[in-house]
Amino acid sequence: MRPPVSSSQPVPVSQPDFTSPAASPSALSRDQREKRLIAAREFVVATGLPTICVRKILDAFEEYLRKKPPKYQAQADIFMDFIEQCAGDEALSEEIAAYLARNFEEQELLQLKAIAKTSAGRKLFYRFDNLPQAERLNDPDYLRLFDEQELKQFEMFLRMPAFQKFSARSAMLLGISAEIVTGKLESNRDELFRQMLDEMYRYQKEQPLPRD
């Protein structure tokens, strides 16, 4: 995509006021906590954040596999299939939603959900490397994601405290996802190991016999 043509200057991005964070869930009524969590769940569904984060984990795993001999690929596929399944796991979605509910007000989450429904927002929430992060919001290479109209939308987002706050915290989502995936791998270790042994045995049987 060609760089957007815009006469506007980079938009100053103010640092979120972390001295006035979202009210602690423990300080809210049960109804307020439930509304905040519902808004967080809706945002997670609207953006597909679990899938975005798991895809990033898989990308890192695939990069690691490129350095390994081909004979390990079949066994690695078992792990990759399992990790990919984690994207649809309710525990991962709930953990991400809980994190968002702890850090954002209900109204902020609704604003973020509205952002995700715009043309520029759909590009932001397409993959992990597109997620807004504070250090790259005015990076020209990053802004190439957007066409002229989308760039105007993005400049509007930059002025929204909820968007600034999400940009400052979005990297945490990968750590949360990695922790859940690692736990799932650990709890299913025996079954995965059995599948790997089966795959290794099958691979050995399919190899041609050595010639005399």
Side-chain angles (χ1 to χ4, degrees):
M1 180 180 296
R2 63 180 177 81
V5 179
S6 175
S7 59
S8 58
Q9 297 297 315
V11 178
V13 181
S14 59
Q15 292 298 316
D17 182 9
F18 293 114
T19 62
S20 301
S24 169
S26 62
L28 303 174
S29 69
R30 180 176 179 179
D31 183 60
Q32 288 173 319
R33 291 196 302 271
E34 185 62 25
K35 285 182 177 179
R36 189 188 283 191
L37 186 56
I38 289 172
R41 287 169 176 160
E42 290 176 350
F43 176 51
V44 168
V45 170
T47 56
L49 282 171
T51 300
I52 291 171
C53 292
V54 168
R55 183 66 254 174
K56 180 65 175 179
I57 294 171
L58 285 170
D59 287 346
F61 191 35
E62 287 174 349
E63 180 64 27
Y64 168 77
L65 287 176
R66 291 192 186 100
K67 305 172 185 177
K68 295 295 182 182
K71 67 178 182 179
Y72 293 110
Q73 185 62 53
Q75 296 174 51
D77 286 344
I78 294 171
F79 275 96
M80 293 182 70
D81 289 344
F82 182 86
I83 293 171
E84 193 165 14
Q85 291 171 18
C86 291
D89 194 281
E90 185 177 352
L92 179 54
S93 294
E94 279 297 296
E95 192 66 28
I96 290 177
Y99 168 77
L100 294 168
R102 288 194 300 270
N103 288 280
F104 294 86
E105 305 284 359
E106 178 189 0
Q107 189 59 38
E108 292 174 328
L109 291 164
L110 294 176
Q111 290 174 357
L112 291 171
K113 178 184 172 184
I115 286 173
K117 292 183 176 181
T118 65
S119 177
R122 285 191 291 272
K123 287 184 177 179
L124 289 172
F125 294 103
Y126 179 71
R127 64 191 187 108
F128 189 84
D129 290 343
N130 289 15
L131 290 183
Q133 294 183 18
E135 66 274 11
R136 65 186 180 194
L137 294 181
N138 277 319
D139 185 335
D141 289 335
Y142 183 65
L143 297 179
R144 290 175 186 270
L145 286 171
F146 311 108
D147 62 26
E148 289 185 61
Q149 186 59 40
E150 292 165 345
L151 187 60
K152 293 178 182 178
Q153 294 174 353
F154 184 73
E155 289 175 347
M156 180 180 66
F157 303 160
L158 289 177
R159 296 183 174 91
M160 299 171 63
F163 184 80
Q164 295 173 13
K165 186 190 290 188
F166 182 81
S167 300
R169 289 177 163 88
S170 62
M172 287 291 296
L173 299 173
L174 187 61
I176 292 169
S177 302
E179 185 175 346
I180 293 292
V181 170
T182 299
K184 294 282 183 185
L185 287 168
E186 181 64 25
S187 62
N188 289 272
R189 179 179 55 184
D190 292 345
E191 174 60 21
L192 290 170
F193 185 65
R194 184 193 63 77
Q195 292 181 35
M196 288 177 62
L197 287 176
D198 289 345
E199 188 61 38
M200 185 183 302
Y201 178 68
R202 185 190 65 78
Y203 177 84
Q204 290 174 344
K205 285 183 64 177
E206 291 178 354
Q207 297 309 299
L209 295 175
R211 295 181 179 180
D212 293 333

